[in-house]
Amino acid sequence: MSQPVTYRNNRIRWTLESLRFLEANYGTMNIADIALRLGRTPGAVGVMADKLGCRRKILPWTETEMDIIRQLYGSGVGAEFLQQLLPGHSVSAIFSMAEKMGVLSGRF
């Protein structure tokens, strides 16, 4: 039987520095990477992000980002590639915005 994973900050209070790091990086870094950096479980990072209100941050779409969707998504570029060009927006958010704008994928 394998040993359970232990985290260096398990059940230790969050420091102000850790909370600031979480707030600053939640939308741009993977949760697993944040958890590894802070020595916490991904679940603990998610719960604290909820408490801080980070998880519900909805980034407003800029006109430049919408132009990228119009031009690239409309010409058939995949959403995964677009996600690299549109940091902070998930694939489902990209699909949703394209649909809202009336942009059809050039793939279909």
Side-chain angles (χ1 to χ4, degrees), residues 15-90:
T15 64
L16 194 53
E17 180 182 339
S18 295
L19 294 172
R20 286 184 180 141
F21 178 83
L22 176 60
E23 282 182 318
N25 296 292
Y26 186 78
T28 57
M29 279 179 75
N30 185 328
I31 291 177
D33 293 337
I34 294 173
L36 184 63
R37 176 97 181 254
L38 296 177
R40 305 228 177 232
T41 65
V45 170
V47 167
M48 187 54 70
D50 277 339
K51 289 180 180 179
L52 294 173
C54 298
R55 226 179 219 180
R56 291 185 174 81
K57 272 187 194 172
I58 298 175
L59 296 176
W61 289 86
T62 65
E63 196 59 42
T64 305
E65 291 172 330
M66 289 189 277
D67 286 340
I68 289 172
I69 291 175
R70 281 185 200 100
Q71 293 171 0
L72 297 179
Y73 184 77
S75 67
V77 173
E80 288 80 14
F81 179 73
L82 285 174
Q83 189 179 20
Q84 294 172 0
L85 298 175
L86 304 168
H89 297 292
S90 66

